[in-house]
Amino acid sequence: MNILITGADGFIGRALSARLLSDRACFPGAATGAHLTLLDRDFSSPPTEGRVRLVAGDITDSRTLEDALTAQVDCVFHLASLPGGAAEVNVAQGLKVNVQATLALLELLRLQRRPPKLIFASTIAVYGAPLPEVIDEHTAAQPTLTYGAHKLVGEILIADYSRRGFIDGRVVRLPGI
């Protein structure tokens, strides 16, 4: 199995890659050719296992994304983002990272031989503020911040690419961390 993690050096990315590498069910051995590709701008303390390939670069750079996807991937954890306050202050950079890079990633995944599974880290910010007392499948998304709007755009794109069979998408709306 070939797995790509974008935003791999972030809080969630580091924990996820450590968990995947410790789970022998995910990586039964080097003979299977299974590996983990980690994509981030830089790495503070990267894993050094032979099953790991590091791609250091900006996710908004098409060459970096293409480098991360040189082989067919079976699963992508798309965690890279310009979060809340930073996206609010720098709208242009937020659009590049949160919307345009997500679309570029989806387009590269669409061109693969087999549709990969994609897990997208979204946010409860899609519901706006203040949060309703109860959130369920009928709660309308009404972002009040740029970051929430960007993540909602990503969710819509993932739903459409999944509907068309280009990917097998999943969205996880995480609370603030």
Side-chain angles (χ1 to χ4, degrees):
M1 172 172 286
N2 295 320
I3 298 173
L4 167 65
I5 301 174
T6 71
D9 199 53
F11 177 72
I12 296 170
R14 285 191 309 268
L16 175 61
S17 59
R19 174 70 172 95
L20 291 172
L21 289 168
S22 72
D23 187 346
R24 297 299 171 203
C26 290
F27 294 100
T32 64
H35 73 273
L36 185 60
T37 300
L38 304 178
L39 168 62
D40 213 316
R41 286 181 305 241
D42 51 42
F43 294 91
S44 55
S45 57
T48 56
E49 289 196 39
R51 302 174 292 171
V52 175
R53 184 169 77 95
L54 302 176
V55 178
D58 189 331
I59 193 168
T60 66
D61 177 41
S62 61
R63 290 173 301 218
T64 299
L65 270 178
E66 290 166 2
D67 183 26
L69 291 164
T70 55
Q72 170 77 36
V73 292
D74 302 297
C75 184
V76 177
F77 290 90
H78 183 32
L79 308 176
S81 72
L82 187 67
E88 196 68 23
V89 170
N90 191 340
V91 175
Q93 187 64 19
L95 281 169
K96 276 180 73 175
V97 174
N98 298 335
V99 178
Q100 294 167 356
T102 297
L103 180 57
L105 173 63
L106 289 169
E107 275 298 290
L108 288 172
L109 295 175
R110 179 179 68 84
L111 299 174
Q112 292 203 39
R113 292 183 313 275
R114 294 180 315 274
K117 191 172 302 280
L118 177 109
I119 296 89
F120 178 67
S122 188
T123 175
I124 60 171
V126 301
Y127 295 117
L131 286 172
E133 190 172 311
V134 175
I135 296 174
D136 62 21
E137 65 273 8
H138 303 293
T139 305
Q142 299 177 357
T144 54
L145 294 173
T146 300
Y147 180 64
H150 290 171
K151 288 299 192 169
L152 184 57
V153 168
E155 289 184 20
I156 292 167
L157 288 169
I158 288 160
D160 190 50
Y161 275 63
S162 293
R163 176 189 64 83
R164 297 186 57 101
F166 300 148
I167 62 167
D168 180 8
R170 309 280 192 280
V171 173
V172 180
R173 289 181 177 157
L174 301 171
I177 299 174

